[in-house]
Amino acid sequence: AIPATAASDEADAVHLWTRALELDPTHRMSRLNLALHIHSRGDFDEAMAHWDVMLDAFPQDPEVLYNAAVTIAYRGLVQPAADMCGRRRPRRLASAEYPRGTPRRR
């Protein structure tokens, strides 16, 4: 997936990351890169679902905690993001307790 990303071929990169996850749902780098890409295109709900999976598998991973917190903050949920940085993980990132469709803040 890395050469496709370097060549700016996002569709190929997404396909390769998705295929890698079909073969091994625990593949850390594929899920991390896919979640980052999904976040970058502004689909925070889908990105948060990937962060939930990552946090279940890697609950103390600083890279996962940080990036999950960034996605939460982009949804305007500052306190849960701050809690995440303090390693107090909310129950479920993609759960109904967080509002859906919060516009991205600039």
Side-chain angles (χ1 to χ4, degrees), residues 63-74:
E63 187 174 22
V64 173
L65 288 165
Y66 170 79
N67 286 301
V70 169
T71 298
I72 293 171
Y74 266 82

Side-chain angles (χ1 to χ4, degrees), residues 20-76:
L21 290 172
E22 289 170 0
L23 296 172
D24 179 6
T26 65
H27 193 267
R28 182 185 175 281
M29 288 306 297
S30 292
R31 189 165 306 274
L32 182 91
N33 285 324
L34 185 58
L36 289 170
H37 174 76
I38 291 166
H39 171 98
S40 73
R41 69 176 197 227
D43 189 347
F44 304 126
D45 291 341
E46 187 179 348
M48 289 170 73
H50 283 282
W51 294 130
D52 271 337
V53 172
M54 293 288 292
L55 287 163
D56 286 343
F58 309 100
Q60 298 302 313
D61 184 321
E63 187 174 22
V64 173
L65 288 165
Y66 170 79
N67 286 301
V70 169
T71 298
I72 293 171
Y74 266 82
R75 294 188 72 215

Side-chain angles (χ1 to χ4, degrees), residues 59-106:
Q60 298 302 313
D61 184 321
E63 187 174 22
V64 173
L65 288 165
Y66 170 79
N67 286 301
V70 169
T71 298
I72 293 171
Y74 266 82
R75 294 188 72 215
L77 304 167
V78 176
Q79 190 55 55
D83 290 346
M84 180 68 75
C85 290
R87 297 179 190 230
R88 291 180 291 164
R89 179 181 178 216
R91 286 180 296 171
R92 300 302 299 167
L93 298 179
S95 73
E97 73 184 88
Y98 297 112
R100 298 277 180 187
T102 305
R104 182 174 181 174
R105 295 189 180 185
R106 292 187 181 243

